[in-house]
Amino acid sequence: MPMLRRTYGKMVYELRPSADWDKGKAVEWLIENWIKKEADRPVFPVYIGDDVTDEDAFRVMAGLGGFGIIVSDNATRTSTGGSYSLRSPFQ
């Protein structure tokens, strides 16, 4: 069994562990195990991404009390888990 698996994005390949792990689980882990334990104030997480490889993170943001922003000129409500969108990084 390979230790890494390749996932495809817009203009990128990502190498991820073969374990059941994605950007959504990474964000959940970071917030629950690091940020919330270290923060002395409430945390409002925001995730900004521009690729299909960010969709796992967008889907978990509401459950963490935050939201995701997709940066894409062709995103629609049905094509992304992001709560909001920007057409470009300059917006």
Side-chain angles (χ1 to χ4, degrees):
M1 176 159 131
M3 302 216 21
L4 297 173
R5 62 186 167 95
R6 183 170 54 177
T7 58
Y8 302 90
K10 259 190 321 197
M11 295 178 64
V12 66
Y13 294 122
E14 286 189 354
L15 296 177
R16 298 181 180 191
S18 291
D20 184 23
W21 191 254
D22 56 45
K23 288 184 179 181
K25 290 182 176 144
V27 168
E28 284 178 319
W29 186 90
L30 284 170
I31 289 173
E32 296 298 329
N33 293 288
W34 184 53
I35 295 172
K36 285 188 177 178
K37 288 181 179 178
E38 299 295 324
D40 57 349
R41 295 183 178 154
V43 175
F44 183 77
V46 176
Y47 186 97
I48 302 172
D50 68 348
D51 200 86
V52 295
T53 61
D54 297 305
E55 289 297 326
D56 297 319
F58 293 148
R59 284 190 282 276
V60 302
M61 293 308 295
L64 296 170
F67 60 84
I69 301 172
I70 179 76
V71 181
S72 171
D73 58 359
N74 60 2
T76 65
R77 290 188 187 272
T78 59
S79 69
T80 183
S83 302
Y84 300 96
S85 67
L86 298 172
R87 292 195 185 280
S88 78
F90 303 107
Q91 193 174 16

